[in-house]
Amino acid sequence: MAFGKKTSSGDTPPPPPPAAPASSPAAPDPVVLSQPALVPETIEKSTQKKSMADDVLLTSDPHPPETESNVDSMTVLRLQRARARIWTDLREGIDLKALARMDAKAARDEVQSAVEEIARFRNLDLTPTELAQIAKECGDDMLGYGPLEPLTERDDIADIMINGPDTTYIEVNGKIQRADIKFRDNQHLVTICQRIVGAIGRRVDEASPICDARLPDGSRVNVIIPPLAIDGACMTIRKFKKEKLTLEKLVDFGSMTPSCAKLIMAVGRCRVNVLVSGGTGSGKTTMLNCLTRYIDHDERIITCEDAAELQLQQPHVVRLETRPKNLEGVGEITMRDLVKNCLRMRPERIIVGEVRGPEAFDLLQAMNTGHDGSMGTVHANNPREAITRMENMIAMGGLNLPSAAVREQIASAVNVIIQVQRLRDGSRKVTHVSEITGMEGDVVTMQDLFHLEIAGEDANGKLISTQKSSGLRPKFYDKARQFGVEKLVLDAMAEAYG
C-alpha cells in the first residue's frame, strides 16, 4: 500500500509508510532478523499476502524497450518494487516494541541488518548505495521523523513549513523556498506529527486537532490537522541552531552594532525588567536567550512557556510548561496559572516565553513586587505598540481596571523594550532599544537609546541600514552602577559622540 502507484520519470520514490505497532508472535526475542521472526518462513508467508503495491507494480511490462527516455523510469520502478517488498517483510518480522527499547544507534543497526537479510533472501537487484538508502529510509520512518529527518539535521534551516503531505517549504538565509520532500499520504504525515507530540506527553487527533510541542533540541513545533486543516495536516517547526547564538555572533551577523550589544549586556546584567517585542519569526526568543546569558549564576530563575524553548545556561533554573485539556476536557493549566504559581516558588527572576493573554497582568505584578530583572516577549510592530498590546491583554482578563491605572502599572513595571524585526530582505535586526521613562498625564513616555535607520538597498537587494545611538543617559544608569556595569552603558552611549 505504501508503494502502490507507479511513479513517472524524474519523480522521487516515496518513503516507506510509518510502522504501526504490530504483535509478532513469531518473534519472542527483542528484535531481529537473526531470530526466527524474519527467517525465510516469515518472508514466504508475507509473500503470499501480496500488497496492492505489488499487484500494480507486477502488471507493468517486465521488459520495456531499452531507450534513454525510459532508463530513469525503469530505475524508479525497480527501486519502488524493492522498497515495497522490503517494507512488507520488515513490518511482518520485526518487533517494534523491542526496537523502541533500544538506543538509537543499535536500533538503526538492527533495521540495517534486517533490510540486508531481506534483500539477500529476495535476491533483489540493488547496489550497496541503494540498499543503504532504503535502510536509512526505513529507519527514519520507524524510529525518526520520516522524510523530515534530513531537514532536521541541517543547521542552515530556520523554519520547516509542511502544508499537507505533498507540499513542504523551508526558510534558508531569510528566504522561503520549496523543499523536495513528500509524505506518502495524509495519514503518514499525521503519524509523524503524533510521534513528535507524543514524545512530550501531548496528543493530536480529531478531538484535539491543535497542539504545540517541541523537538529534543528545543525546536518549537505547531501541529494542526483535519478537520481544521482543510488540505491535510500542517506542521510548522521553528528550528534551533545546534550552535548557541550569542550577542557577539549577532553583531557578526549585522543584527546590531557592538555599542548596542554592550547596552543589551548591561540590561541583562543589572536586573532591568525587559520586554522583547517583534513580529512572528523576528528573533524574539533568540534575543531572550542572549539576554539570559548575562544573568548571574547565583540567581534563582523560573521560566513559564507553552512549549519549553529557552536554553538557559545557569545552574538554578526551574522550567514550567503549560498543559492542554485532556480527553474529558479538563485538566488545562494556563500560562496565567503558571505565573501565579511561580510567585510562590521564591523566584528572583521570572521569564515568560511569550506574553499573549491575561498573564500580562500577573507578570507586571511580579515586576512591581521585587522580582527585578523579569523578562518576556510580546508580539508588536514597535515599542509603542508593545505597550498598547500589554493594555489589551490585561483587558482580556476582565479586571475592569481604568486605562490610566493599567498604563501606570506598565510604566512602573517595564524598564526597557527591545524591538527586533525581520526586514524584507530576510535579515533580522534590532530596530529599537527604548526605555520607558514615566508618565505624562495618561501617556506613557519613552526615549529611544538606539534606533535603526534604513537608507536604501544595494544592487543585490540587501537593505542598507545603520543603527544609531541617541547618546541619552538611560534612566537605569544608577542601577547599572550598583551592579558595576556602568562602563558598558557609557561606552554604548559614547558612540553618538564618535
Side-chain angles (χ1 to χ4, degrees):
M1 310 185 212
F3 305 94
K5 291 185 180 179
K6 180 177 176 182
T7 57
S8 60
S9 174
D11 285 346
T12 54
S23 60
S24 183
D29 290 306
V31 181
V32 16
L33 292 178
S34 58
Q35 304 298 334
L38 276 180
V39 293
E41 289 82 355
T42 301
I43 299 177
E44 288 169 0
K45 179 181 177 183
S46 67
T47 305
Q48 295 170 3
K49 300 187 293 182
K50 278 188 178 181
S51 68
M52 189 183 302
D54 285 341
D55 291 340
V56 173
L57 292 170
L58 295 177
T59 58
S60 305
D61 182 3
H63 302 291
E66 292 289 341
T67 63
E68 288 186 16
S69 61
N70 66 14
V71 168
D72 289 342
S73 180
M74 291 171 62
T75 301
V76 169
L77 176 62
R78 175 175 58 82
L79 290 175
Q80 190 174 354
R81 251 171 149 179
R83 258 195 206 88
R85 287 178 172 172
I86 287 174
W87 182 254
T88 300
D89 293 338
L90 191 63
R91 193 167 47 184
E92 288 287 334
I94 205 161
D95 185 349
L96 291 174
K97 291 183 180 179
L99 197 69
R101 290 194 294 269
M102 303 173 69
D103 65 79
K105 185 178 185 308
R108 286 188 177 269
D109 290 344
E110 202 64 64
V111 172
Q112 173 84 26
S113 300
V115 170
E116 290 173 356
E117 185 170 338
I118 292 170
R120 281 196 303 270
F121 179 80
R122 290 281 196 179
N123 292 321
L124 297 176
D125 181 20
L126 294 170
T127 67
T129 302
E130 291 168 345
L131 189 61
Q133 179 61 27
I134 291 175
K136 183 180 185 304
E137 290 172 358
C138 290
D140 289 345
D141 239 2
M142 300 176 76
L143 305 165
Y145 307 129
L148 286 179
E149 198 74 21
L151 299 184
T152 60
E153 294 169 357
R154 288 177 53 180
D155 205 35
D156 61 331
I157 296 177
D159 289 272
I160 303 172
M161 295 152 279
I162 302 158
N163 307 337
D166 299 323
T167 309
T168 299
Y169 288 91
I170 58 177
E171 182 190 314
V172 181
N173 298 324
K175 296 295 185 181
I176 294 177
Q177 61 192 50
R178 187 158 183 170
D180 188 22
I181 70 165
K182 292 184 179 181
F183 294 83
R184 186 183 84 258
D185 53 27
N186 189 62
Q187 185 54 49
H188 184 196
L189 174 54
V190 170
T191 302
I192 297 298
C193 294
Q194 290 172 335
R195 183 177 300 164
I196 291 173
V197 305
I200 63 166
R202 297 195 176 184
R203 64 187 181 88
V204 60
D205 49 36
E206 286 192 7
S208 179
I210 301 177
C211 183
D212 288 314
R214 65 179 185 276
L215 297 181
D217 65 355
S219 297
R220 180 194 313 168
V221 180
N222 175 267
V223 176
I224 180 167
I225 66 171
L228 301 188
I230 297 173
D231 299 320
C234 296
M235 178 161 56
T236 308
I237 301 175
R238 175 70 50 78
K239 283 184 82 273
F240 275 10
K241 289 184 177 292
K242 295 183 177 70
E243 187 179 4
K244 303 289 188 298
L245 288 176
T246 62
L247 288 179
E248 291 82 0
K249 289 177 182 174
L250 293 182
V251 170
D252 293 339
F253 295 154
S255 297
M256 66 184 79
T257 61
S259 297
C260 183
K262 288 179 181 178
L263 183 66
I264 292 176
M265 288 179 195
V267 166
R269 177 76 71 186
C270 69
R271 299 192 68 165
V272 171
N273 293 327
V274 184
L275 281 181
V276 180
S277 169
T280 300
S282 58
K284 298 187 299 298
T285 303
T286 297
M287 177 56 66
L288 199 57
N289 270 322
C290 292
L291 271 170
T292 59
R293 184 181 174 209
Y294 301 98
I295 298 175
D296 287 335
H297 282 230
D298 60 351
E299 294 186 45
R300 176 173 169 84
I301 308 164
I302 299 180
T303 68
C304 304
E305 301 174 82
D306 283 316
E309 304 171 71
L310 295 173
Q311 301 168 314
L312 275 69
Q313 307 302 312
Q314 287 75 9
H316 198 167
V317 178
V318 180
R319 303 168 73 203
L320 306 181
E321 192 174 61
T322 60
R323 187 179 71 184
K325 298 175 183 177
N326 60 17
L327 282 170
E328 289 75 31
V330 296
E332 180 183 19
I333 303 297
T334 66
M335 183 68 76
R336 190 168 191 186
D337 296 328
L338 293 184
V339 175
K340 283 181 177 179
N341 184 76
C342 75
L343 293 174
R344 304 184 184 98
M345 298 174 64
R346 204 273 181 195
E348 289 184 296
R349 295 204 195 211
I350 298 172
I351 300 177
V352 179
E354 186 170 338
V355 182
R356 63 177 77 186
E359 67 272 6
F361 181 74
D362 300 288
L363 179 61
L364 292 179
Q365 292 283 81
M367 290 176 170
N368 268 328
T369 53
H371 304 95
D372 294 339
S374 295
M375 304 176 185
T377 70
V378 61
H379 280 86
N381 294 322
N382 56 60
R384 177 64 61 182
E385 286 187 20
I387 295 175
T388 304
R389 284 269 295 150
M390 291 289 285
E391 286 186 61
N392 294 338
M393 287 186 286
I394 291 172
M396 290 166 57
L399 300 176
N400 295 322
L401 295 173
S403 295
V406 172
R407 289 172 189 165
E408 189 172 347
Q409 181 91 326
I410 294 172
S412 61
V414 180
N415 302 117
V416 173
I417 298 176
I418 300 174
Q419 181 74 33
V420 292
Q421 186 174 340
R422 182 178 180 273
L423 304 179
R424 60 184 173 85
D425 63 351
S427 62
R428 294 173 172 87
K429 294 184 182 291
V430 175
T431 60
H432 295 83
V433 179
S434 301
E435 183 182 35
I436 295 179
T437 56
M439 295 277 294
E440 284 187 8
D442 289 342
V443 178
V444 178
T445 56
M446 306 173 67
Q447 63 181 11
D448 287 341
L449 303 178
F450 277 89
H451 67 280
L452 187 75
E453 291 184 358
I454 298 176
E457 64 178 70
D458 62 18
N460 298 319
K462 289 290 184 183
L463 294 177
I464 302 171
S465 60
T466 55
Q467 194 178 46
K468 294 188 175 180
S469 167
S470 65
L472 299 173
R473 176 176 288 191
K475 187 179 177 183
F476 63 83
Y477 178 75
D478 288 339
K479 182 173 279 192
R481 288 176 56 193
Q482 295 173 22
F483 286 85
V485 292
E486 71 276 9
K487 188 176 186 305
L488 284 175
V489 177
L490 293 177
D491 288 347
M493 296 301 102
E495 181 197 283
Y497 306 104

